[in-house]
Amino acid sequence: MSQQAEQLDMTDEESAVVLDREAIDELLGTGGVGVLALAEESDPYAIPVSYGYDADAGELYLRLGFGEESEKRRYLKRSDRAALVVTAEGDHGWESVVVRGPLSEIPEANIDGTVVEAIRSIDIPFFTIYEEAPRELEYQLYRLRPEEITGRREKPPVGIE
């Protein structure tokens, strides 16, 4: 993550504060559900996906399922970069992280010991939005290597107005 993204000054009028790396790692945790955004020229495509996060390597792993005529597969082939958006709402309001970078398929034959170890240490939840039964889908593992990570949190109220 760029130092510039971590150290942006926020004015009193702005409604969010920038998350530092520790807070970003905490929100991404070891895995969860986020929204993957892809694009084909000016045509956007966004879907909820399961992901896992390896904080040590700073990489995210996504387990993507594909139906027979997969629109997702078409967008993956035509997108050089992807964005993953993860949000949460807690006692102190909302927070979000946006991760941008190349998304690459990890062929099963190429999964080395490092990747296997990383995947064992994270939790990629099973999440499906398909009409087909999960066992009828084809699943593939992808790695998102962040080129940019930004995070924001709702600015705490100063006082009662």
Side-chain angles (χ1 to χ4, degrees):
M1 172 174 23
S2 73
Q3 290 290 346
Q4 183 182 15
E6 287 187 60
Q7 296 177 358
L8 290 175
D9 291 326
M10 303 299 278
T11 66
D12 287 338
E13 286 84 42
E14 295 183 51
S15 62
V17 294
V18 175
L19 297 180
D20 62 17
R21 184 56 186 244
E22 184 178 324
I24 287 171
D25 286 348
E26 185 177 322
L27 177 58
L28 292 176
T30 60
V33 175
V35 176
L36 178 66
L38 304 165
E40 179 182 355
E41 295 181 18
S42 64
D43 188 23
Y45 180 74
I47 50 166
V49 296
S50 302
Y51 79 92
Y53 179 59
D54 180 359
D56 294 334
E59 297 177 333
L60 294 103
Y61 294 91
L62 292 80
R63 180 187 306 128
L64 302 180
F66 301 96
E68 201 169 303
E69 295 181 25
S70 176
E71 186 177 24
K72 182 185 340 167
R73 191 181 306 270
R74 179 172 60 91
Y75 276 89
L76 282 165
K77 288 179 181 178
R78 296 185 174 135
S79 296
D80 294 330
R81 291 173 32 100
L84 180 69
V85 180
V86 177
T87 62
E89 187 154 347
D91 296 337
H92 303 292
W94 63 264
E95 56 185 3
S96 67
V97 171
V98 178
V99 181
R100 291 181 177 90
L103 185 65
S104 56
E105 181 178 340
I106 304 174
E108 204 169 306
N110 293 352
I111 299 178
D112 64 24
T114 307
V115 172
V116 170
E117 196 57 41
I119 292 168
R120 283 188 184 142
S121 69
I122 58 180
D123 177 29
I124 302 177
F126 187 77
F127 177 73
T128 183
I129 57 169
Y130 300 96
E131 292 178 11
E132 297 98 331
R135 64 184 155 274
E136 294 176 17
L137 300 173
E138 174 189 338
Y139 289 91
Q140 183 61 51
L141 187 64
Y142 283 76
R143 178 183 330 184
L144 178 57
R145 288 200 164 133
E147 293 176 339
E148 178 185 356
I149 299 177
T150 56
R152 301 255 188 277
R153 174 180 291 139
E154 186 172 4
K155 185 176 182 180
V158 175
I160 299 175
E161 304 290 328

